[in-house]
Structures are given as structure tokens and as C-alpha cells.
Amino acid sequence: MKQLLLVFIGGGLGSSLRYGFGKYLNSTATGIPYGTFAANIIGSLLIGIILGMAAKNSILSQNTTLLLATGFCGGFTTFSTFAYENHVFLKNGDFGTFALYTIGSFIVGFAAVFLGIWLTKIA
């Protein structure tokens, strides 16, 4: 039950922060979801760092890892919003933005995870 509560608290904090990112960074003028992109990339970097630290040594307990990785990063990043935003791009015929956003999110997101893990190895 304690672990579920940790995931719940972390997820609530992450989701609240993601909401703020979307509210203040997503562009209503262009429709480009900068906030979602930033949340997903920062979350990818953070989960790389968190899981890299957990794998490298015992700095993070299992409960701390659940709170931060599963809870916070899980709530902060969002695949469902990413998928919906891409649906809107396709529906509006904005294939260029769809391609750039999708490919950019995957490439930069994966690179951020690898960077986070690499940072824990050199630290």
C-alpha cells in the first residue's frame, strides 16, 4: 500500500507540473505543443538519470525510484497527449508538423534517456 501511495503522490506532482508546462508553453497561435514536447524530453532525461542512479549504486531505494520514476516521470510525461496532438496535426492536414513533432520527439526523447544514463556513469 505504501508503494501505491508513493506512485500516486509522484504521479500527482508530475501531472500538475505537466499541466503547467502545457498551459504556459503550448502555442495557441501555431498549435505547436512546445509544453508537451518539453515535458516528454525533460521527463526522458530525468528517468534516464533516476534509473541510471538506481542501477549504478544504492543511492536510490526502491521506494524512491517508484516515487520518482514510476510516479513523477510517469505523470509528467504523456504519450496519450502526444498521440492526440499528432491526431490533430493529421486531421488538419499538417503533415510536415506531424512528421517533425513525431520524429523529433522519438529521437530527442531516446537521446535524453541515453544522456541521463550516461551522466550517471561518468558522475
Side-chain angles (χ1 to χ4, degrees), residues 80-96:
S80 57
T81 301
F82 168 76
Y84 175 74
E85 290 163 348
N86 276 304
H87 163 77
V88 172
F89 289 139
L90 291 174
K91 180 179 169 188
N92 293 335
D94 194 351
F95 301 110

Side-chain angles (χ1 to χ4, degrees), residues 3-97:
Q3 293 173 332
L4 182 62
L5 183 60
L6 290 170
V7 172
F8 175 78
I9 291 168
L13 293 171
S15 294
S16 297
L17 186 58
R18 179 175 41 84
Y19 170 76
F21 268 56
K23 183 172 176 65
Y24 294 105
L25 297 177
N26 286 353
S27 174
T28 55
T30 65
I32 297 176
Y34 296 112
T36 305
F37 181 79
N40 286 338
I41 301 310
I42 292 168
S44 295
L45 177 64
L46 288 175
I47 205 164
I49 291 170
I50 293 162
L51 296 179
M53 288 175 59
K56 180 179 178 180
N57 48 40
S58 298
I59 290 176
L60 299 179
S61 68
Q62 181 183 6
N63 285 341
T64 302
T65 302
L66 278 173
L67 173 76
L68 297 175
T70 306
F72 181 80
C73 290
F76 185 56
T77 59
T78 173
F79 188 78
S80 57
T81 301
F82 168 76
Y84 175 74
E85 290 163 348
N86 276 304
H87 163 77
V88 172
F89 289 139
L90 291 174
K91 180 179 169 188
N92 293 335
D94 194 351
F95 301 110
T97 304

Side-chain angles (χ1 to χ4, degrees), residues 45 48-49 110-120:
L45 177 64
I49 291 170
F110 281 114
V113 169
F114 292 128
L115 175 62
I117 293 169
W118 179 77
L119 289 171
T120 64

